[in-house]
């Protein structure tokens, strides 16, 4: 359907659409769960045990569960307090902190999740190698070709629109949850508490370690990028809220999706530690769920999990294509992305945004060939780090509007709850940035700096007479971003390129 919101508007209005073409609660829940549960859950036992013992994993999930809940609750409250701001992350940042910050959130969210789609490509092709050898590693030449074919196929599917593909999302959600449920039930039958308690806080030289902050907190911190990656997509219903039947459905879908996903992650990461030692799981090949099923239950279990990985990733891939098309669309309507991104097709899909999303994914996919064996880790780490500012500005926006006396009354969340949620979510976001480490933060700085010309073009196209950087603070922010981008480039060449000065 053609766009009914004029380019250069504030982006707070969604295109007028027939309610029959909008997504209901079940479809939104499917989008949230599919966005979060990709292929990562199938290697979760190894990803967590590689750096953390059972006790540290429990603490990590408590910290993550509380922290992510503040982020999820931020979206729930904002959907009620500011229901006119559809498309979530970008519009919250733009309304709260101006066009430049809004641009960085829109651009950062868009690009970081293009990296996520490349991570999906690496994983699905590496898993296909189990059935059809030739795709070893997931980023060799046959894998790049296969991933490219899937990327363009997803583009064609996403052009059909959120409503038209919501049924596929629901089927995909069921298909990805079934192997996980079988894994949980099967491993529970061989779980032993004595094994689980051995090395509960970690082991050194075959001796159990006791709880100390110096021992446990580095383990917890080491899991943070993994856990953040697993929850990327918590905002799924918010991002497509312009296509939702109601903001109430958006709020309910966010809650249901978060609780279901958190429960599954906790169980899947902890159960295997009652069967194997932390060291054994930490050294398992990807996907570790398949290795466990093969060892304990035979070939059928390995086949089931590998098939589940492929179904899960493809389902999430489609959801993310739908979500990523919305962000440049909203940004273009607000006048900070080039005008071309505002175009929608007859089915209400952001056709230009989807095309450029696919092109960016294709470019990064080709680049992944040169990364080597660490393509998966590199992609999910960059994705997680670049997503952090996007979440942080949303929690800060909630904190900002909660400070205002005009905070709406009569909604489910009181002003005090909104204030606390915004503050706690912001602190959690800052801690995640600290926990992320310097390497990938520097890469993120490069990517953000590279995107600045897109902002300049967008502003000029929508209003040739407009000042690109209106405020002194904008100029300071741009200078800092460019400086960090240059520093990040030098640091990355030295660190990843092993260049000696």
């Amino acid at each position: 359907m053609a766009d009914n919101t004029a380019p250069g508007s504030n982006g707070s209005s969604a295109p007028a659409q027939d309610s029959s073409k909008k997504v209901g609660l079940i479809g939104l829940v499917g989008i949230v769960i599919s966005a979060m549960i990709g292929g990562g859950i199938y290697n979760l036992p190894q990803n967590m045990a590689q750096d953390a013992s059972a006790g540290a994993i429990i603490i990590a999930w408590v910290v993550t569960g509380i922290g992510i809940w503040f982020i999820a609750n931020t979206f729930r409250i904002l959907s009620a307090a500011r229901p006119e701001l559809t498309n979530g992350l970008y519009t919250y940042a733009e309304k709260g902190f101006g066009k430049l910050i809004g641009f960085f959130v829109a651009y950062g969210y868009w690009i970081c999740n293009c990296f996520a789609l490349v991570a999906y490509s690496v994983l699905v092709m590496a898993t296909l190698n189990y059935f059809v050898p030739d795709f070893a590693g997931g980023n060799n030449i046959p894998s790049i070709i296969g991933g490219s074919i899937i990327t363009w196929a997803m583009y064609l599917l996403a052009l059909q629109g959120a409503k038209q593909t919501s049924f596929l999302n629901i089927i995909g959600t069921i298909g990805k949850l079934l192997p996980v449920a079988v894994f949980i039930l099967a491993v529970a039958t061989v779980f032993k508490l004595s094994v689980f308690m051995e090395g509960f806080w970690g082991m050194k030289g075959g001796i159990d370690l006791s709880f100390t902050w110096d021992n446990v907190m580095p383990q917890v911190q080491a899991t943070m990028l993994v856990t953040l990656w697993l929850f990327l997509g918590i905002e799924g219903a918010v991002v497509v809220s312009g296509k939702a039947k109601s903001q109430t459905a958006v709020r309910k879908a966010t809650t249901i999706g978060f609780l279901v996903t958190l429960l599954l992650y906790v169980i899947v990461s902890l159960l295997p530690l009652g069967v194997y030692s932390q060291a054994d799981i930490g050294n398992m090949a990807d996907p570790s769920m398949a290795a466990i099923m093969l060892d304990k239950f035979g070939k059928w279990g390995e086949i089931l999990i590998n098939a589940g990985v492929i179904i899960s990733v493809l389902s999430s891939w489609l959801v993310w294509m739908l979500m990523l098309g919305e962000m440049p669309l909203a940004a273009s309507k607000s006048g900070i992305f080039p005008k071309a991104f505002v175009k929608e097709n007859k089915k209400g899909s952001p056709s230009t945004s989807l095309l450029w999303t696919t092109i960016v994914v294709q470019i990064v996919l080709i680049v992944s060939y040169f990364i080597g064996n660490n393509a998966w880790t590199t992609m999910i780490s960059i994705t997680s780090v670049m997503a952090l500012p996007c979440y942080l500005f949303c929690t800060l926006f909630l904190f900002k509007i909660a400070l205002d006396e005009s905070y709406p009354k009569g909604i489910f969340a009181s002003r005090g709850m909104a204030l606390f949620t915004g503050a706690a979510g912001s602190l959690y976001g800052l801690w995640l940035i600290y926990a992320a480490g310097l390497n990938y933060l520097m890469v993120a700085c490069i990517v953000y700096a590279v995107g600045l010309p897109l902002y300049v073009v967008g502003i000029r196209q929508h209003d040739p007479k407009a000042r690109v950087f209106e405020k002194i603070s904008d100029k300071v922010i741009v200078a800092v971003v460019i400086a960090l981008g240059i520093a990040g480039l030098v640091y990355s060449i030295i660190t990843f390129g092993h260049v000696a000065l």
Side-chain angles (χ1 to χ4, degrees):
M1 181 174 290
D3 174 37
N4 293 314
T5 302
S9 69
N10 63 10
S12 62
S13 297
Q17 291 180 325
D18 189 323
S19 61
S20 65
K21 294 183 178 181
K22 295 201 170 188
V23 186
L25 177 62
I26 295 177
L28 289 169
V29 171
I31 286 173
V32 174
I33 293 177
S34 285
M36 286 190 285
I37 300 183
I41 192 171
Y42 293 93
N43 200 39
L44 183 56
Q46 188 276 338
N47 285 165
M48 296 295 279
Q50 186 176 27
D51 296 304
S53 60
I57 290 173
I58 292 172
I59 294 175
W61 281 124
V62 171
V63 172
T64 299
I66 294 172
I68 295 294
W69 171 247
F70 286 129
I71 292 175
N73 204 36
T74 291
F75 295 129
R76 293 173 70 247
I77 296 173
L78 286 174
S79 69
R82 300 298 299 270
E84 78 280 8
L85 299 181
T86 56
N87 302 110
L89 282 77
Y90 157 67
T91 47
Y92 297 151
E94 191 269 342
K95 285 297 178 183
F97 306 100
K99 286 188 174 182
L100 181 60
I101 295 299
F103 167 78
F104 280 124
V105 168
Y107 169 79
Y109 184 85
W110 179 46
I111 295 297
C112 83
N113 285 299
C114 288
F115 280 91
L117 294 186
V118 175
Y120 281 162
S121 175
V122 171
L123 181 58
V124 77
M125 299 314 296
T127 306
L128 276 173
N129 188 67
Y130 174 79
F131 298 101
V132 183
D134 286 332
F135 301 116
N139 64 326
N140 59 7
I141 290 179
S143 297
I144 301 301
I145 294 172
S148 299
I149 293 171
I150 296 173
T151 296
W152 288 97
M154 289 298 177
Y155 161 69
L156 295 176
L157 278 173
L159 286 175
Q160 303 306 307
K163 174 63 179 178
Q164 288 78 1
T165 57
S166 62
F167 178 73
L168 288 176
N169 294 334
I170 295 170
I171 297 300
T173 301
I174 295 172
K176 69 172 60 179
L177 293 180
L178 183 60
V180 174
V182 172
F183 173 82
I184 290 172
L185 292 173
V187 175
T189 64
V190 293
F191 178 88
K192 293 182 179 179
L193 184 60
S194 59
V195 176
F196 184 77
M197 296 305 297
E198 186 176 350
F200 187 77
W201 297 114
M203 299 189 73
K204 186 174 183 179
I207 300 174
D208 283 2
L209 298 175
S210 58
F211 175 85
T212 64
W213 287 109
D214 290 342
N215 167 40
V216 174
M217 291 316 294
Q219 296 182 55
V220 174
Q221 184 175 327
T223 66
M224 286 298 102
L225 281 185
V226 174
T227 56
L228 177 62
W229 157 259
L230 292 167
F231 279 105
L232 291 181
I234 186 67
E235 71 285 355
V238 174
V239 171
V240 298
S241 59
K243 304 291 194 297
K245 287 185 176 179
S246 71
Q247 293 303 305
T248 299
V250 170
R251 190 163 63 248
K252 289 180 179 178
T254 301
T255 303
I256 294 169
F258 167 75
L259 293 175
V260 170
T261 304
L262 176 62
L263 180 64
L264 289 175
Y265 286 159
V266 172
I267 294 173
V268 167
S269 60
L270 289 175
L271 265 183
L273 289 167
V275 182
Y276 303 93
S277 69
Q278 176 193 343
D280 287 341
I281 299 174
N283 290 323
M284 285 182 175
D286 301 342
S288 51
M289 281 176 61
I292 292 169
M293 291 295 286
L294 174 64
D295 182 52
K296 292 297 180 182
F297 305 102
K299 196 74 174 177
W300 70 268
E302 184 183 37
I303 293 172
L304 175 69
I305 297 301
N306 279 292
V309 171
I310 295 171
I311 294 171
S312 181
V313 172
L314 293 179
S315 173
S316 294
W317 198 325
L318 177 57
V319 169
W320 277 107
M321 281 295 291
L322 291 168
M323 290 167 58
L324 290 185
E326 297 295 327
M327 194 64 67
L329 172 70
S332 183
K333 288 177 181 178
S334 285
I336 60 171
F337 261 49
K339 284 185 176 181
F341 285 91
V342 83
K343 183 180 179 182
E344 292 181 281
N345 64 17
K346 293 180 179 179
K347 295 183 179 179
S349 291
S351 50
T352 300
S353 291
L354 288 171
L355 175 61
W356 280 102
T357 297
T358 307
I359 291 171
V360 172
V361 171
Q362 181 67 76
I363 293 170
V364 179
L365 187 57
I366 293 171
V367 171
S368 73
Y369 170 75
F370 300 97
I371 295 177
N373 296 331
N374 296 321
W376 163 258
T377 303
T378 300
M379 291 301 159
I380 68 171
S381 297
I382 293 173
T383 300
S384 298
V385 171
M386 286 196 65
L388 291 174
C390 305
Y391 292 137
L392 178 61
F393 281 110
C394 290
T395 57
L396 288 172
F397 177 60
L398 177 60
F399 183 75
K400 181 179 179 179
I401 67 170
L403 286 175
D404 197 318
E405 294 290 343
S406 63
Y407 179 83
K409 297 179 181 178
I411 63 173
F412 78 96
S414 67
R415 186 180 169 202
M417 178 189 290
L419 198 64
F420 178 70
T421 298
S426 298
L427 290 174
Y428 178 65
L430 290 171
W431 186 72
L432 283 176
I433 291 174
Y434 163 75
L438 192 58
N439 287 356
Y440 294 109
L441 283 174
M442 290 292 98
V443 175
C445 290
I446 298 171
V447 179
Y448 274 109
V450 167
L452 277 169
L454 194 65
Y455 176 72
V456 175
V457 172
I459 294 292
R460 290 297 188 199
Q461 280 191 357
H462 287 278
D463 186 357
K465 296 181 180 179
R467 294 177 62 188
V468 176
F469 305 113
E470 299 174 339
K471 299 175 290 187
I472 294 178
S473 60
D474 287 347
K475 296 176 181 178
V476 172
I477 291 170
V478 168
V480 170
V481 169
I482 292 175
L484 289 175
I486 295 171
L489 182 61
V490 173
Y491 179 87
S492 297
I493 291 173
I494 294 171
T495 305
F496 297 109
H498 306 291
V499 176
L501 293 181

